[in-house]
Amino acid sequence: MLDGPSERSLWLTRRTGYMESLMFDKMEHGSNCSIVLNTWITADHIDPEKMEQAYRAMMYNQPNFRTNVRQDSEGVIYFTPATDFSDVFQFVDQSGEEEEGRGYAGCWAFAEKLADVPFNLGGECPLNRCVLVKRPDGYSLLNKLHHSIGDGTTSFRVVNEMMRQYDLLVSGREVNLEPAEVLPSAMELCEYAKNEEVVKRMVQRKLDRARNQEIMFPLNHEEIAVSRSHIPHTNHTLHAIGTKEGFSKLREICKERFEGSTIGSYCFAVLTMAKAAVYMKKNGYKTVPERGIPAVYLDVAANLRTRLEPHPGECFMNCIAMVDIKTTVTENNTLFDLVKNVGDQLRAAYKDNEAPLYFHCKAEVETGEHSEFFNSVPEGKISEFMTSNQMKFNYPTKYSWGEIQSLHTIGSIWCPIFSNQILLFQCVGGKMCYSVVCCDGEENMAVAKEVFDLFVYVIENSDSISSATGVMDFLNVNVD
C-alpha cells in the first residue's frame, strides 16, 4: 500500500486557516500543540502488523494525515505533503508481570509523555502518529495528532476508521482505500454565513465579558513556567471513568426532571455549581457572599461541521468554534434554574447559527472599532473554562476480537491558549469518560482537581439531586 493516492489534488496543499494557524508557535522550535486519545481496548490479542496496516489505510484516506507545514518568506504557513511515513506507527510491549496499573490508567504516564514530544514543523514526517501498547490486561491505543489537522472529535473518528479497517483485515479481507477530497479551512467554509445583527450581539457579549469578568481562580503564571521535561509544558490532564449505574441515573434525571433539557445542559450547570462551590471554599465563605459569586463563563466547543448547512462533507481538520454561555450563581437559584438557563442559551446560540458566525465575530474583535480595547485586555479575562461534550460515541465499540472500554483525551499545550481549564467528557459503552486539561503547577492543579472531583461526583450521583439543590449543597458535598 502506498502512503497516499497518486492524484495530487487529493493531498492537502493550502494556506492554513485561522483556527489552524493558532496551533503553531515559532516554526523553528517545533510544536507540541497536540492531542492524544487514549483508547482502552480489552482483547486477548491484537496483531500489531494488521493494526499498522489499518492506521496507514486511515492515513491514505484522509488528506490531513498526510501533511506537514512550511512557512514562506512573509511568515505565512501552508500545508504541504509529507514524504517520510516510516515512523507513523509503533508497537510497545508492556505486558510483563512487573508492570503496575490496570485499565486505561496503566498507560497514562506513557501517554502524557507522548503528548509532550513536539512535532517537527517544516519536516518530511506527517503531523500525527499511532502507538499500540500491549498491557497485562489489554491494549492502549494512543493516537496523537497535531491540533492543526484535527480536534477531539477527529480523534474519535480516527479510532473508528482504524477499527473498521482492522476488522476487515482480521476477517481476511483487504483494507478499504477511498481517499477523501480536500476541503477548505473552517473559516473559509463559514464565509457564506452572514448575519450582522447576530455578530453585533456576539461582539457586545464579549465586550461585556472583558469589561466585567472577575476571574474566579487566577492562574499562577510562575507555576506554568515550570516544565516536567526539557520541553516547555503548561498542561496536565486529570482523568476519571464513571459507571453504568452513574450514567443511567444521569439519563434518568434529565428525562424525568428537566423538560426538554439535554445531558449537556445538565453537565454544564453542574460544572457551574461546582466552580462556585470551590470558589466559596477557597475564599472561606460559609454562606453565599453578600457581593455575590462572580459570573461563571463557559465556552462550549462546537464542531462546526455538524452545524453548517449545507453539510460540507467529511474531512479531518480543526473545525472548532466557541459558543459563549454565562451563568450566575446566587443564594436563591437552584441547579434546576441553571439547567434551564444554560439550555435556553444553547438553543438560542444554535438557532442564531453562532458557531459559523464565530469567525466574523473574531474578525470584528481583532480589527473592528473595539479592537484597541480587546488588545489591551489581560490574558485570562476573555476565557476561563471551556467544555466539550461529545456525549455519544456513534461508532461500534464491540468487535469479535475485542471491545473499546474507554476514551480519554489528553492535551499537551491547550491551556492557557483558550482557557485555564478544558473539560471533556463523553459516553462509551454506557459509562462516562472524564478528562480535564489544566495548567501545570501545584496551585493551578489543586483548583482544577477540586472542581473536577466535585463535578464527577455529582454527575455520578444524580439521584441525590432535587429541585431544591443549590450551591450550599455543593459546598457541603464530601467526595472522599
Side-chain angles (χ1 to χ4, degrees), residues 97-98 177 179 186 233 375 389 438 477:
E97 292 294 329
E98 72 280 0
L177 300 180
H233 188 86
N375 290 332
N389 67 323
C438 56
V477 165

Side-chain angles (χ1 to χ4, degrees), residues 21 29 116 129 135 138 182 196 209 218 226 243 287 400 403 423 449 456:
S21 65
H29 296 306
D116 284 349
R129 65 176 307 195
R135 300 287 301 167
V182 177
E196 293 184 4
R209 179 173 181 168
V226 178
T243 63
T287 59
S400 61
E403 180 178 355
L423 177 70
K449 188 175 188 309
V456 171

Side-chain angles (χ1 to χ4, degrees), residues 134-389:
K134 184 178 182 180
R135 300 287 301 167
D137 55 338
Y139 291 82
S140 271
L141 187 65
L142 306 178
N143 290 95
K144 177 180 178 179
L145 58 92
H146 192 272
H147 211 340
S148 67
I149 68 168
D151 52 40
T153 302
T154 298
S155 57
F156 301 136
R157 293 163 62 183
V158 167
V159 169
N160 172 64
E161 175 69 358
M162 285 185 65
M163 298 299 99
R164 184 178 73 88
Q165 300 281 11
Y166 182 79
D167 200 45
L168 290 173
L169 290 168
V170 297
S171 64
R173 291 173 286 177
E174 297 294 323
V175 293
N176 178 236
L177 300 180
E178 295 182 357
E181 294 184 4
V182 177
L183 295 180
S185 69
M187 182 172 65
E188 291 174 281
L189 284 168
C190 291
E191 286 184 353
Y192 79 91
K194 304 291 183 183
N195 194 321
E196 293 184 4
E197 290 304 313
V198 174
V199 172
K200 285 181 180 178
R201 292 202 298 269
M202 294 170 69
V203 172
Q204 187 59 50
R205 288 206 307 268
K206 292 190 179 298
L207 276 171
D208 294 340
R209 179 173 181 168
R211 287 170 177 156
N212 303 319
Q213 183 178 7
E214 179 182 344
I215 296 295
M216 299 179 77
F217 307 115
L219 281 176
N220 185 326
H221 288 274
E222 293 182 1
E223 289 189 344
I224 293 177
V226 178
S227 61
R228 291 202 310 265
S229 66
H230 67 285
I231 303 299
H233 188 86
T234 62
N235 282 177
H236 191 79
T237 305
L238 307 175
H239 52 92
I241 190 166
T243 63
K244 289 187 177 181
E245 294 77 14
F247 186 63
S248 177
K249 290 185 285 188
L250 172 62
R251 287 189 300 179
E252 182 76 13
I253 192 172
C254 290
K255 180 180 179 181
E256 299 293 332
R257 304 191 190 183
F258 300 117
E259 296 181 5
S261 291
T262 64
I263 289 176
S265 298
Y266 178 76
C267 289
F268 298 155
V270 170
L271 178 61
T272 297
M273 281 288 189
K275 288 195 68 178
V278 173
Y279 170 81
M280 289 176 62
K281 182 178 178 182
K282 290 290 184 186
N283 288 277
Y285 294 119
K286 302 298 182 182
T287 59
V288 177
E290 289 186 10
R291 67 183 184 88
I293 295 174
V296 180
Y297 291 85
L298 304 174
D299 290 313
V300 182
N303 187 319
L304 288 179
R305 298 191 186 282
T306 65
R307 305 294 174 192
L308 287 171
E309 294 294 342
H311 193 278
E314 298 294 335
C315 186
F316 294 147
M317 64 176 58
N318 181 31
C319 48
I320 287 292
M322 285 62 132
V323 174
D324 294 300
I325 301 296
K326 176 186 176 182
T327 54
T328 304
V329 177
T330 67
E331 184 177 11
N332 297 322
N333 61 13
T334 66
L335 178 64
F336 280 31
D337 296 331
L338 292 189
V339 174
K340 184 179 185 306
N341 180 263
V342 169
D344 289 345
Q345 290 184 66
L346 282 172
R347 282 188 289 273
Y350 293 146
K351 181 180 179 182
D352 285 342
N353 214 22
E354 284 188 9
L357 292 172
Y358 166 84
F359 294 98
H360 300 281
C361 174
K362 188 71 173 175
E364 180 64 25
V365 165
E366 293 182 340
T367 61
E369 61 177 314
H370 302 291
S371 58
E372 185 176 349
F373 166 73
F374 277 111
N375 290 332
S376 68
V377 175
E379 182 180 304
K381 286 284 283 183
I382 298 299
S383 181
E384 184 173 18
F385 214 113
M386 187 162 76
T387 54
S388 181
N389 67 323

Side-chain angles (χ1 to χ4, degrees), residues 87-99:
D87 194 32
V88 296
F89 185 89
Q90 180 184 6
F91 173 65
V92 176
D93 191 340
Q94 294 184 347
S95 60
E97 292 294 329
E98 72 280 0
E99 293 292 342

Side-chain angles (χ1 to χ4, degrees), residues 118-130:
F119 283 105
N120 179 25
L121 303 181
E124 303 302 321
C125 300
L127 300 177
N128 60 96
R129 65 176 307 195
C130 177

